[in-house]
Amino acid sequence: MEKITTKRLKELARSLMLDMSESDYEDLKEEFNIVLKQFDLINNIEGVDSKEPMTFPFEIQGVGLREDIEGPTLEIKDVLKNSKDHQFNQIKINRVVK
Amino acid sequence: MSYLNKSLIDIIEALKNKQVSAKELVEESLLLANKYSKYNPFVTILGDTKVNSEAPLYGVPYALKDNFSTKDILTTGSSNILKDYIPVFDATVVEKLKESGATLIGKTVLDELAMGGTGVSGHTGRVYNPYDPSLNTISGGSSAGSAVAVALGIVPFAIGSDTGDSVRKPAAHCGIVGIKPTYGRISRYGLFPFATSIDHVAYFTRTVRDSAFLLSLLEGSDNKDATASTREGHNYLKDLNTDVKGKKIAVISEIVDCISEPSILSSLDNAISIYKEGGATVERVSVDLNLLRAILPVYMIISCSEATSNNAGLDGINFTSREEGNDFEEVMINSRSKGLGKSVKNRLVLGAYCLDNENIENVFIKAQKVRSLITETINNIFKDYDAILLPASADAAPTFDTLSDRMSDECIIGENHLAIANLGGFPSLTLPYGFKGNLPLGVNLTCKAFDEQTLFNLSAYLESKLPYENMIAKEEEK
């Protein structure tokens, strides 16, 4: 496992659209030092490489082509009521091209 | 006379016989919810008594973890980023309980976005263990408030979610019954996703009979959740059978051997003796210690990785609390940075690390392969045994300031092995089996996938031989 640096943590956080204080990054670095040692424990097991990666416990059963049946839809006013800002029935955010 | 200190099934009987009314029950439940506010189990206390009198749970109050969508009712996930969020639809489990006539009296506190096992990181503050009135002991989490509400007798049952042990561990720490059924047995539509491949709807009761009764009401396929099982429903209570003669139970030696707490080990010995007296065979089985040490990291890698994707929508744009910024990127960064707590941020960054191009093969995919091997190993045990019996935790609930050696087997294996059932999708139930001083201890049974009937049968037998059925934490009795 790699030796984690604050610079690397900042890159990872930025990829998640997150930022933290310098002291939080220091705490996270300490946390990584422990967790990466724990992660290393998955490398001590024989017979793993021949296994298939397990993505879900079981085959998904209830899928397939279904009839195209009209279902209930949400009212626009309901959809908008959790947004901070809206106009003309649309969620309003900052202009991208100014 | 109080009826809320009775089991769910006895409450339903009292309602049918008109010994108590729905209104009286809900009023008493709300009274208790306010009386016990110092333990902080609720984000929101409600009290809607509009119910269907023909339904099986008519008039029964219940509590719901605040990561299940409730139409027109604040649903926060115990996170500041969702502190004002009011969903526009009900989760399937909420719909089912509405149809069953149950009355939602409150939304309960969890570790923020269900990422935690202690009940300390919710945005409305810590949840406290009801068996420690001095408020120094954790309840366990993440379904902390739901566990406490049931343990205090505020409600006879409460809904939670279990991604690693988030119902079964707090059940152990609070002296109640907590079950995580088979993966997909209960629809997850409307549950805020944490880690999709291991998230389960789960719940608390104070008796195994109540647990069996509720599963029949909550299970079933759902065209809004592709992972919901399409298997036929079952009347588990009707088929409940406490005859354990001839049943075979496995105890994984390496897990027990890393636990040193005498009260846990003596309670386990007692449970084993009880099963043997009933005619069951209880045998120790061996599992590669290195594989058991991998359970916690595999759980962390998979859950944190899936969480980074599942929580990408919490960006301050469409919903969630929005912070100001000069452009939409700044809005997102500011909203997420201010709205999410430290512990959640840490887990998300861990997830990003696991999914990073440099690590995905050696960390994330590797963990998925180890998950295959863990599941295969446990399924091999189920070829010869009906259930696996283990302590639900290595010790009683710790105090808030307890520090443990996080590289010890006692911590890595003894405190985290319940995640086996999430990785493999196995049904798993915790029930009280002893005390350490004032604090309750829980034992866990796990069975093969979709064999909840055996799980209930074996659990009900043990419960019938112990003095902890329908146990309520009462301040005056301590």
Side-chain angles (χ1 to χ4, degrees):
Chain A
M1 295 283 174
E2 72 175 277
K3 176 85 179 157
I4 207 82
T5 62
T6 304
K7 180 171 173 284
R8 177 94 166 99
L9 290 178
K10 285 183 177 177
E11 286 167 4
L12 291 168
R14 177 73 195 190
S15 75
L16 294 166
M17 310 292 270
L18 280 176
D19 202 2
M20 293 185 248
S21 67
E22 290 301 318
S23 71
D24 281 353
Y25 279 119
E26 284 308 304
D27 291 346
L28 181 55
K29 201 159 83 173
E30 273 184 38
E31 179 67 15
F32 257 75
N33 287 335
I34 297 166
V35 174
L36 293 188
K37 274 185 206 159
Q38 292 177 341
F39 282 8
D40 215 20
L41 295 170
I42 70 170
N43 296 316
N44 299 331
I45 301 155
E46 286 180 21
V48 168
D49 291 337
S50 61
K51 297 294 167 193
E52 283 297 310
M54 184 173 170
T55 52
F56 280 92
F58 318 115
E59 290 279 318
I60 293 174
Q61 298 163 312
V63 291
L65 293 176
R66 59 166 174 77
E67 291 299 316
D68 192 12
I69 301 167
E70 188 179 347
T73 52
L74 297 171
E75 294 290 329
I76 287 177
K77 66 175 174 49
D78 287 336
V79 174
L80 294 176
K81 69 186 178 187
N82 278 299
S83 71
K84 185 170 179 179
D85 201 3
H86 54 87
Q87 192 177 25
F88 310 128
N89 281 343
Q90 294 181 54
I91 292 169
K92 191 176 174 187
I93 61 165
N94 302 37
R95 189 183 290 274
V96 177
V97 179
K98 295 185 177 169
Chain B
M1 182 179 177
S2 171
Y3 282 87
L4 279 176
N5 57 8
K6 297 185 183 306
S7 72
L8 171 62
I9 289 171
D10 288 344
I11 288 172
I12 292 169
E13 199 58 30
L15 281 161
K16 269 188 198 161
N17 297 334
K18 303 200 183 304
Q19 292 164 279
V20 64
S21 72
K23 186 168 178 288
E24 287 167 337
L25 268 181
V26 171
E27 281 174 1
E28 187 192 348
S29 183
L30 292 171
L31 202 70
L32 290 174
N34 287 303
K35 177 184 171 185
Y36 289 126
S37 61
K38 79 170 186 177
Y39 295 102
N40 193 33
F42 292 101
V43 178
T44 308
I45 297 175
L46 301 157
D48 180 1
T49 55
K50 281 177 270 174
V51 290
N52 171 9
S53 63
E54 298 301 312
L57 291 177
Y58 162 64
V60 177
Y62 81 100
L64 180 72
K65 189 174 180 178
D66 207 22
N67 59 348
F68 285 88
S69 293
T70 41
K71 187 172 171 20
D72 298 330
I73 296 172
L74 183 70
T75 304
T76 67
S78 281
S79 178
N80 273 316
I81 203 163
L82 289 165
K83 64 183 169 56
D84 302 315
Y85 174 56
I86 298 176
V88 292
F89 66 97
D90 279 327
T92 294
V93 72
V94 174
E95 266 183 4
K96 280 179 179 264
L97 286 166
K98 265 187 188 168
E99 285 163 14
S100 299
T103 302
L104 177 63
I105 69 116
K107 304 290 298 285
T108 57
V109 177
L110 56 147
D111 280 299
E112 184 179 2
L113 300 173
M115 294 186 212
T118 53
V120 304
S121 66
H123 75 312
T124 53
R126 291 171 166 181
V127 178
Y128 299 93
N129 192 302
Y131 282 87
D132 177 9
S134 61
L135 307 182
N136 290 316
T137 305
I138 71 162
S139 60
S142 63
S143 309
S146 285
V148 171
V150 172
L152 285 167
I154 298 170
V155 287
F157 76 95
I159 305 295
S161 60
D162 188 317
T163 302
D165 57 20
S166 281
V167 158
R168 293 162 294 146
K169 186 69 87 66
H173 289 340
C174 295
I176 55 177
V177 176
I179 182 175
K180 178 201 80 58
T182 304
Y183 182 83
R185 184 65 101 173
I186 303 175
S187 165
R188 297 178 303 172
Y189 177 72
L191 166 66
F192 292 178
F194 163 18
T196 318
S197 80
I198 50 177
D199 283 342
H200 295 66
V201 175
Y203 55 91
F204 301 96
T205 58
R206 291 190 300 269
T207 75
V208 174
R209 282 169 58 79
D210 287 352
S211 191
F213 171 72
L214 270 177
L215 185 55
S216 301
L217 290 179
L218 299 176
E219 70 179 358
S221 62
D222 183 3
N223 60 15
K224 289 179 277 192
D225 176 3
T227 62
S229 167
T230 54
R231 293 189 183 216
E232 287 286 306
H234 187 74
N235 189 332
Y236 302 97
L237 182 61
K238 183 166 162 275
D239 288 346
L240 201 62
N241 178 358
T242 55
D243 181 4
V244 298
K245 197 170 178 189
K247 294 291 176 191
K248 290 188 74 180
I249 298 169
V251 175
I252 299 174
S253 283
E254 289 78 5
I255 294 180
V256 177
D257 292 346
C258 70
I259 295 173
S260 58
E261 170 53 40
S263 59
I264 297 275
L265 297 173
S266 62
S267 297
L268 181 67
D269 285 345
N270 186 39
I272 290 170
S273 300
I274 288 170
Y275 278 118
K276 284 181 176 172
E277 282 163 18
T281 303
V282 185
E283 291 174 342
R284 284 205 168 212
V285 298
S286 183
V287 172
D288 176 10
L289 194 57
N290 285 331
L291 195 61
L292 296 172
R293 286 178 179 140
I295 294 164
L296 174 64
V298 165
Y299 162 75
M300 285 297 288
I301 291 165
I302 289 173
S303 65
C304 293
S305 301
E306 293 184 10
T308 57
S309 166
N310 281 329
N311 290 291
L314 303 179
D315 57 15
I317 303 292
N318 296 325
F319 61 103
T320 72
S321 300
R322 187 190 293 182
E323 297 291 332
E324 297 301 323
N326 290 322
D327 53 38
F328 81 96
E329 278 200 356
E330 247 185 55
V331 169
M332 284 189 189
I333 291 171
N334 292 343
S335 299
R336 286 167 68 79
S337 300
K338 288 181 185 166
L340 296 170
K342 188 170 171 177
S343 156
V344 166
K345 285 182 198 166
N346 287 359
R347 288 201 187 207
L348 296 181
V349 176
L350 268 172
Y353 173 88
C354 299
L355 294 174
D356 192 75
N357 279 343
E358 287 177 22
N359 301 321
I360 192 161
E361 186 74 32
N362 292 328
V363 180
F364 183 63
I365 305 289
K366 183 82 172 270
Q368 288 183 319
K369 289 181 176 183
V370 180
R371 179 181 181 182
S372 287
L373 192 56
I374 292 169
T375 303
E376 186 181 298
T377 303
I378 300 301
N379 273 324
N380 281 337
I381 294 175
F382 289 136
K383 283 179 186 166
D384 297 318
Y385 295 91
D386 297 293
I388 296 170
L389 175 76
L390 288 166
S393 61
D395 206 340
T399 55
F400 288 103
D401 54 6
T402 300
L403 294 173
S404 54
D405 174 2
R406 292 171 63 192
M407 289 309 291
S408 69
D409 281 345
E410 189 148 28
C411 177
I412 287 181
I413 299 172
E415 286 293 353
N416 291 287
H417 66 83
L418 292 183
I420 288 172
N422 300 80
L423 298 174
F426 307 114
S428 182
L429 184 148
T430 295
L431 71 157
Y433 75 148
F435 269 84
K436 178 188 177 184
N438 283 338
L439 298 175
L441 306 172
V443 70
N444 181 264
L445 283 148
T446 297
C447 290
K448 67 174 185 271
F450 297 103
D451 196 7
E452 280 89 350
Q453 189 66 61
T454 299
L455 183 66
F456 288 132
N457 291 349
L458 291 171
S459 303
Y461 167 76
L462 182 61
E463 181 184 63
S464 72
K465 301 293 179 187
L466 292 167
Y468 309 120
E469 186 177 3
N470 198 33
M471 188 164 66
I472 292 178
K474 284 200 169 71
E475 289 191 308
E476 56 273 23
E477 288 179 5
K478 288 194 281 289

